[in-house]
Amino acid sequence: MSTDEHTRDASGGAAGAVAPGDSYDPRAVQDKWQARWAELEPFRANDSADDPRERRYALDMFAYPSGDLHMGHAEAYAIGDVPARYWFQRGHNVLHPIGWDSFGLPAENAAIRRNSHPAEWTYTNIETQAASFRRYAPSLDWSRRLHTSDPEYYKWTQWLFLRFYERGLAYRKGGQVNWCPNDQTVLANEQVVGGHCERCGALVERRVLTQWYFRITRYADRLLDDMKQLEGNWPDRVLLMQRNWIGRSTGADVDFVIEGRDEPVTVFTTRPDTLYGATFFVVAADAPLAAEICAPEQRAEFEAYREQVSRESEIDRLSTEREKTGVFLGRYAINPVNGERMPVWASDYVLAEYGHGAIMAVPAHDQRDLDFARAFDLPVRVVVDTGEPDPAETGVATAGDGRLVNSGPLDGLAKAEAIARIIEILEDKGLGRASVNFRLRDWLVSRQRFWGCPIPIIHCPSCGEVPVPDDQLPVTLPDNLRGADLAPKGTSPLAAAEDWVNVPCPSCGGAARRDSDTMDTFVDSSWYYFRYCSPHYEDGPFDVEQVRKWMPVDQYTGGVEHAILHLLYSRFFTKVLYDMGMVDFTEPFTRLLNQGQVILNGKAMSKSLGNMVDLGDQIAEHGVDVVRLAMLFSGPPEDDIDWADVSPHAMAKFLGRVHRIAGEVTAPVDADPATGDVALRRITHRTVEEVTGLVEAYRFNVAIARVMELVSAARRAIDSGPGPADPAVREAAETIAILLSLFAPYTAEESWSLLGRPAPVATAGWPVPDPALLVEDQVTCVVQVAGKVRDRLEVPPGIAADELERLALASDKVQAALGGTGIRKVIVRAPKIVNIVPA
RNA sequence: GCGGGCGUGGCGAAAUCGGCAUACGCGGCAGGUUUAGGUCCUGUUGGUGGAGACACUGUGGGGGUUCGAGUCCCCCCGCCCGCACCA
């Protein structure tokens, strides 16, 4: 980008003091300072071990390069920039990097439409976004920029895949998977939202396919337990969502003999105490077990039912008030504790993928089982007396605590005791055992699309799966595919690229084929924050020493849409790297902030609704600082911002007031603030004290409100107080510039410059309040009679309680309010409040 | 259905501990500057009553604890989010 006429005009015209009434245009100073900052590079992190400064790592979720930056980016990066800039001001060695999550479907779809290669669209958009980032001016270290679609990056994604493979954490298996018919690829469970594709919204189908998985379930317990480290520093709702997603249930496995089958069938139950109340047995209709054990005379009916179940759409499956359906399999299971014969049914209300795909049904104490029992007229037996009415009559299962009945050795026990006892009994007899089950499934990572990281595995007819040797990484994508070559066909487009896919087997040298799937882009983004610590490192995915110094991330800022996707996967990756001895911590992100959304008139902005507010237009109209300030001032960072409610004009007015004050200061640069007006100095120092606390507590909207109050105080000091030559006015103006540098960097820099200080203001140093100026010499004490404010007293802050009580009772207003009635009690909380309770 | 969160002026929102409810900003009203409009500056602005000092009232509704409740406890109403047959 070249310096243009506009730049020279702006910098030339802004020199000298600004006369009252001159209006300040935040846009006019942007190009000048952007160029200056590019020279100064104030935000470069220092890797060297002898830098004594404390280190901080501020991370924003990196961008997907779809078009230009939008309003959502503007909010997220304005918010994430505040703690980073605060740390720079505090003199820390800050790592605040940026990069692009640049593999993914939109690039591929664009390439198909334009008959081009996805790289063209991707890297063009990255450059557009990079230029917008530079203008928007977050405090980024540009020397660490990375793109996940660069071979230098995805070489290490492949390297990590192979390490996972060696450890048994990456494996291939066949089974039912989620299939998006629109994107023509499989999806992870985490990418199916309410039965729809998380990305395109299409209704997801079930297919039976062989796919690659990461064994995240092996880490289920640790993913759950380590959340203790995050409590208080991550939003509660994210922790809750992850807990629910992992879905740990404790209970027991119980083995049931099925008549005519050699191997017993195991079921999982959270209520082994109700074992004597089991009256039937249900197998998932789509589980292989159902087909296997179905008796010949029931075969036709079962097949018809299974056919019906397989045709059900996700919508049917998800509808809340569903009638229970099922079919008797003509077989019986034996209850291991009382020998009772229970009919075995197949139904779709039992899930093949959870537990063992089969359950013991206890209709009296489980609502789903009761619904099924009532639909098919199966017996209901109460074994826990909860004091509630009979479920067989009410249709309401009693799931609560109570005394066990009709349960042999368990009779009379409470629920918890009964659970412990029955597990002992089952373990003694070898018929069952305590067990834990998770809702979490392994992470399906293979995708049948082109623009992703190739899976570094070669399939050899004689050797089977053969990893690509490390020294042959990266397996790069072919660059000769265009347009229709990339169209979704239900298998990866790479499979059709004959000269790419056909390779000799690394093991036996025979003819073999590359795995033609690519990895889920969430694999790329599960480790990028490690790479930032040593982005040009060539001997591994990251330099272990640098990661040890920079990580874990102190502050991570991004959208709540990644509450279980990216954040769960990243936590998983970190634990694997810990087990590999590559990192010395188990959680990657110490503190997490989820910013809200930018909406319009109460609705999410979307192209289909046609209610998009364009960030470029907003910046062109109001300037970067106005947009950033509006994003931060409108409310708490985690709340949504309705752009219809914000007033860019008010932000511009405020910035103009700041700029005008800076231009009016006449006290020299070296004036001693100690000789200045004490009243203004008190306000300045108290503001610093408060803003410091507010920024550290992430209450940026209130912090800005306090700066506004300081600006008003400085304005009054100039107009009707000590005047612009007072050193306290300079102190206030300089303080305003530094505080404002966290929120509106251009105006802060311009003001700093008007005050005769050298750029950059960003590292000028955070002011330290003088404790002597924070001590009030008078405080207002509120005097209440019967809880109502009747008088206010100006008193010294250290006043004694009995002295304050005497003063309060001496007040005419208090005496008037008492009106001669006696006093029952006086509560004194010196020096703030006195409450007099009349008799 | 289960789990979680939130209800404060006309609007966005403040109120670390239970201690002056409504900071800051928008919008409104009044005045000043200006040829005028806009900009800019000043004052004012929860509601009801009052000319006014002031009085009463007020944080979704009801009850409780407390000298004192937006804040803590119980019940109800409304809105939002997550999960959704997970045995």
Side-chain angles (χ1 to χ4, degrees):
Chain A
M1 195 201 272
S2 61
T3 312
D4 59 19
E5 294 301 317
H6 179 69
T7 306
R8 262 174 259 131
D9 284 348
S11 53
V18 176
D22 270 14
S23 61
Y24 164 68
D25 182 353
R27 297 171 299 180
V29 302
Q30 287 173 190
D31 289 352
K32 175 179 67 172
W33 291 120
Q34 193 184 315
R36 186 81 184 104
W37 294 333
E39 287 164 26
L40 293 168
E41 293 196 314
F43 306 121
R44 247 186 130 122
N46 187 357
D47 278 342
S48 77
D50 53 17
D51 189 322
R53 296 175 296 165
E54 283 180 44
R55 295 189 185 221
R56 291 287 186 282
Y57 189 171
L59 181 66
D60 306 291
M61 287 185 187
F62 63 172
Y64 181 79
S66 55
D68 202 349
L69 299 183
H70 52 65
M71 295 297 279
H73 291 117
E75 185 188 11
Y77 290 102
I79 289 167
D81 204 27
V82 176
R85 284 181 173 271
Y86 174 67
W87 288 330
F88 277 112
Q89 289 288 20
R90 297 231 67 144
H92 298 318
N93 187 11
V94 183
L95 173 56
H96 188 201
I98 187 68
W100 277 269
D101 187 16
S102 49
F103 271 138
L105 265 179
E108 205 170 318
N109 293 336
I112 294 163
R113 275 197 313 276
R114 300 155 175 228
N115 194 31
S116 64
H117 192 277
E120 289 176 26
W121 182 89
T122 300
Y123 287 92
T124 302
N125 284 345
I126 287 175
E127 289 314 316
T128 302
Q129 292 195 349
S132 295
F133 265 119
R134 294 246 185 208
R135 183 183 55 184
Y136 199 63
S139 55
L140 297 170
D141 180 349
W142 284 94
S143 70
R144 290 169 188 261
R145 169 174 173 176
L146 60 79
H147 317 119
T148 60
S149 57
D150 290 350
E152 302 78 60
Y153 183 89
Y154 71 73
K155 171 181 180 175
W156 299 111
T157 307
Q158 292 171 340
W159 186 92
L160 287 164
F161 181 96
L162 292 175
R163 300 295 85 76
F164 278 44
Y165 184 77
E166 287 162 6
R167 304 177 75 84
L169 294 172
Y171 68 97
R172 236 155 67 106
K173 75 163 183 198
Q176 280 206 3
V177 298
N178 304 299
W179 175 264
C180 175
N182 180 49
D183 292 341
Q184 294 276 300
T185 184
V186 298
L187 300 171
N189 275 354
E190 289 80 4
Q191 289 165 325
V192 180
V193 179
H196 295 260
C197 173
E198 175 245 353
R199 199 158 14 201
C200 73
L203 204 56
V204 168
E205 298 169 359
R206 312 283 292 169
R207 285 199 179 182
V208 175
L209 291 170
T210 297
Q211 296 290 321
W212 285 98
Y213 292 83
F214 279 169
R215 206 179 296 279
I216 191 171
T217 51
R218 189 182 283 177
Y219 286 78
D221 264 317
R222 286 164 65 186
L223 287 165
L224 210 50
D225 294 343
D226 287 350
M227 273 186 237
K228 286 191 200 82
Q229 297 177 44
L230 307 175
E231 275 166 18
N233 294 316
W234 278 37
D236 287 342
R237 75 172 160 154
V238 173
L239 295 177
L240 190 73
M241 282 165 73
Q242 291 214 0
R243 277 198 188 93
N244 291 341
W245 188 261
I246 296 166
R248 185 185 148 105
S249 298
T250 56
D253 279 348
V254 185
D255 303 330
F256 285 74
V257 169
I258 307 282
E259 286 178 356
R261 188 179 196 265
D262 295 338
E263 283 292 303
V265 173
T266 304
V267 303
F268 173 73
T269 176
T270 55
R271 294 293 305 275
D273 57 313
T274 63
L275 188 48
Y276 285 85
T279 55
F280 56 102
F281 195 93
V282 190
V283 178
D286 54 346
L289 179 67
E292 182 215 307
I293 65 175
C294 181
E297 66 275 15
Q298 293 299 109
R299 178 65 58 181
E301 201 183 333
F302 166 70
E303 291 297 346
Y305 180 66
R306 196 169 64 159
E307 182 60 26
Q308 174 199 321
V309 168
S310 72
R311 276 198 311 269
E312 276 169 0
S313 70
E314 284 292 313
I315 291 279
D316 295 334
R317 250 177 54 75
L318 292 170
S319 69
T320 33
E321 294 295 317
R322 284 189 78 206
E323 291 294 314
K324 289 282 185 288
T325 58
V327 48
F328 177 51
L329 291 178
R331 302 290 284 272
Y332 291 85
I334 308 301
N335 188 325
V337 288
N338 60 13
E340 279 184 13
R341 291 178 86 224
M342 305 183 301
V344 178
W345 289 69
S347 174
D348 64 347
Y349 90 92
V350 173
L351 305 177
E353 322 88 78
Y354 185 77
H356 306 281
I359 62 155
M360 65 175 205
V362 185
H365 307 297
D366 182 284
Q367 190 61 48
R368 297 153 301 184
D369 296 345
L370 182 59
D371 293 343
F372 192 86
R374 286 162 70 90
F376 294 100
D377 205 18
L378 294 159
V380 177
R381 184 192 307 144
V382 172
V383 291
V384 183
D385 179 10
T386 63
E388 292 160 289
D390 184 3
E393 282 157 29
T394 60
V396 179
T398 57
D401 204 348
R403 292 281 151 195
L404 273 286
V405 293
N406 301 322
S407 295
L410 305 181
D411 282 350
L413 297 178
K415 180 173 161 181
E417 300 160 353
I419 290 173
R421 182 77 192 105
I422 190 71
I423 288 172
E424 279 175 27
I425 292 170
L426 290 167
E427 285 181 345
D428 277 355
K429 297 183 177 169
L431 297 170
R433 59 220 67 89
S435 174
V436 175
N437 250 276
F438 294 93
R439 221 190 72 118
L440 183 70
R441 304 281 185 279
D442 277 341
W443 173 14
L444 201 174
V445 295
S446 46
R447 296 290 179 274
Q448 289 69 55
R449 297 297 301 240
F450 171 80
W451 189 236
C453 176
I455 290 173
I457 296 286
I458 290 166
H459 298 279
C460 172
S462 37
C463 309
E465 287 169 7
V466 182
V468 174
D470 284 359
D471 61 10
Q472 291 174 29
L473 299 180
V475 176
T476 53
L477 289 168
D479 55 13
N480 58 347
L481 300 189
R482 289 280 180 288
D485 299 341
L486 307 170
K489 306 164 180 72
T491 55
S492 172
L494 285 170
E498 291 298 328
D499 32 338
W500 182 87
V501 81
N502 289 303
V503 287
C505 169
S507 177
C508 71
R513 287 174 68 84
R514 290 193 187 283
D515 196 297
S516 59
D517 283 356
T518 53
M519 291 183 223
D520 182 0
T521 56
F522 279 106
V523 178
D524 309 328
S525 57
S526 291
W527 72 281
Y528 75 106
Y529 44 90
F530 290 106
R531 185 71 184 166
Y532 280 142
C533 297
S534 51
H536 311 296
Y537 191 65
E538 292 182 355
D539 300 327
F542 52 84
D543 179 342
V544 168
E545 282 308 306
Q546 289 301 332
V547 164
R548 194 188 309 281
K549 284 175 188 152
W550 288 114
M551 287 196 68
V553 171
D554 294 289
Q555 174 60 48
Y556 197 19
T557 307
V560 74
E561 66 273 17
H562 291 115
I564 41 183
L565 288 156
H566 165 61
L567 291 169
L568 189 68
Y569 298 149
S570 294
R571 296 182 59 227
F572 164 58
F573 258 65
T574 301
K575 289 171 204 311
V576 176
L577 290 167
Y578 176 85
D579 290 349
M580 289 168 67
M582 292 183 70
V583 304
D584 57 359
F585 48 88
T586 54
E587 286 293 336
F589 312 125
T590 304
R591 184 165 183 175
L592 175 70
L593 177 70
N594 292 132
Q595 85 282 356
Q597 305 261 299
V598 185
I599 61 175
L600 190 67
N601 293 309
K603 290 194 218 54
M605 292 194 273
S606 76
K607 281 187 189 136
S608 55
L609 283 173
N611 64 345
M612 300 288 287
V613 175
D614 184 79
L615 176 61
D617 292 349
Q618 293 296 310
I619 288 175
E621 190 176 346
H622 306 293
V624 167
D625 278 359
V626 164
V627 172
R628 290 177 62 132
L629 205 58
M631 293 293 181
L632 295 166
F633 180 65
S634 87
E638 54 276 5
D639 285 8
D640 287 350
I641 297 172
D642 196 326
W643 200 247
D645 292 333
V646 313
S647 172
H649 173 72
M651 299 301 101
K653 193 164 83 174
F654 166 66
L655 294 172
R657 281 158 64 88
V658 170
H659 181 262
R660 187 178 149 205
I661 287 166
E664 286 172 342
V665 167
T666 54
V669 169
D670 56 1
D672 180 5
T675 63
D677 180 70
V678 174
L680 179 59
R681 295 201 74 209
R682 281 187 196 284
I683 296 170
T684 302
H685 285 245
R686 200 184 61 225
T687 301
V688 171
E689 175 77 3
E690 289 188 10
V691 169
T692 303
L694 289 163
V695 167
E696 287 180 357
Y698 291 71
R699 308 190 37 191
F700 310 140
N701 56 330
V702 188
I704 292 168
R706 294 292 171 265
V707 178
M708 287 174 169
E709 289 178 273
L710 177 56
V711 167
S712 294
R715 181 75 262 150
R716 279 192 302 275
I718 292 170
D719 290 344
S720 50
D726 191 289
V729 172
R730 166 168 281 277
E731 183 185 40
E734 292 190 356
T735 301
I736 290 163
I738 294 171
L739 301 183
L740 193 65
S741 74
L742 273 48
F743 316 115
Y746 287 106
T747 303
E749 193 74 86
E750 182 68 15
S751 301
W752 193 241
S753 166
L754 282 177
L755 288 161
R757 298 286 188 179
V761 68
T763 52
W766 195 249
V768 179
D770 179 350
L773 290 166
L774 297 177
V775 180
E776 307 285 340
D777 51 359
Q778 290 279 294
V779 295
T780 303
C781 175
V782 173
V783 184
Q784 299 177 333
V785 177
K788 284 184 180 147
V789 181
R790 295 300 177 182
D791 201 3
R792 291 181 173 82
L793 305 171
E794 291 301 314
V795 298
I799 191 167
D802 52 353
E803 169 71 359
L804 188 57
E805 179 174 344
R806 195 184 59 72
L807 283 173
L809 290 171
S811 156
D812 292 344
K813 289 174 182 167
V814 168
Q815 288 304 324
L818 282 169
T821 28
I823 293 164
R824 183 152 68 93
K825 201 181 201 180
V826 181
I827 284 95
V828 183
R829 294 284 178 271
K832 289 185 74 177
I833 199 158
V834 177
N835 190 13
I836 298 160
V837 187

